[in-house]
Amino acid sequence: MALAEIIELPKIVDPRGNLTVVTEGIEVPFNFSRAYWIYDVPGGESRGGHAHKVCQEFIVALSGSFTLRLEDGHGNVESFHLNHPYQGLIIKNHIWRTLEDFSSGSVALVLASDVFDEEDYIRDHEEFIKIVNP
Ligand code: TYD
């Protein structure tokens, strides 16, 4: 089974400039409590390197591109290259994610199902493997 799925968002093409929209409950099955974005990533850097206990996230490459490397802790690893502002990826809880290979000037938008809570993070990979293989 795929670890995540690329979601195609509506693209309203317009000679004045295109527009894309995402609505909770339509393209994304959870409510958004929080939005944050990652930008000014130096060449060669990676972000993420954790999983969440409960929080789900929807990630869009608003500008530029990057690769999301996902791992389920059962030996399955999958990479998704995001490079269109009208596509996103839903990352469920208990999925270890790394964001890497950011192109210059790229911006990653993240819509999260829950407010920020450090207690919801699993930042230790060994602990992650134990949690998903009880
Ligand atoms: P983190 O989620 O580890 O970043 P990423 O997964 O994108 O690499 O967060 C980095 C730091 O920012 C960490 O100290 C927590 C803080 N932070 C907040 O305070 N609020 C937030 O909503 C987020 C996402 C992070």
Side-chain angles (χ1 to χ4, degrees), residues 35-41 47 58-68 82 87 99-100 102-103 105-111:
Y36 63 93
W37 42 101
I38 296 168
Y39 53 97
D40 290 349
V41 178
R47 301 280 322 207
F58 181 68
I59 304 190
V60 180
L62 277 193
S63 183
S65 66
F66 51 85
T67 299
L68 272 153
L82 292 184
Q87 288 179 338
L99 287 75
E100 54 199 17
F102 285 86
S103 69
S106 59
V107 180
L109 170 72
V110 185
L111 303 176

Side-chain angles (χ1 to χ4, degrees), residues 71-109:
E71 194 188 326
D72 67 358
H74 304 292
N76 301 307
V77 174
E78 207 170 346
S79 288
F80 295 86
H81 189 62
L82 292 184
N83 58 354
H84 295 299
Y86 52 84
Q87 288 179 338
L89 200 67
I90 293 171
I91 304 184
K92 295 198 169 143
N93 59 328
H94 285 180
I95 296 285
W96 188 273
R97 89 287 312 274
T98 310
L99 287 75
E100 54 199 17
D101 297 331
F102 285 86
S103 69
S104 166
S106 59
V107 180
L109 170 72

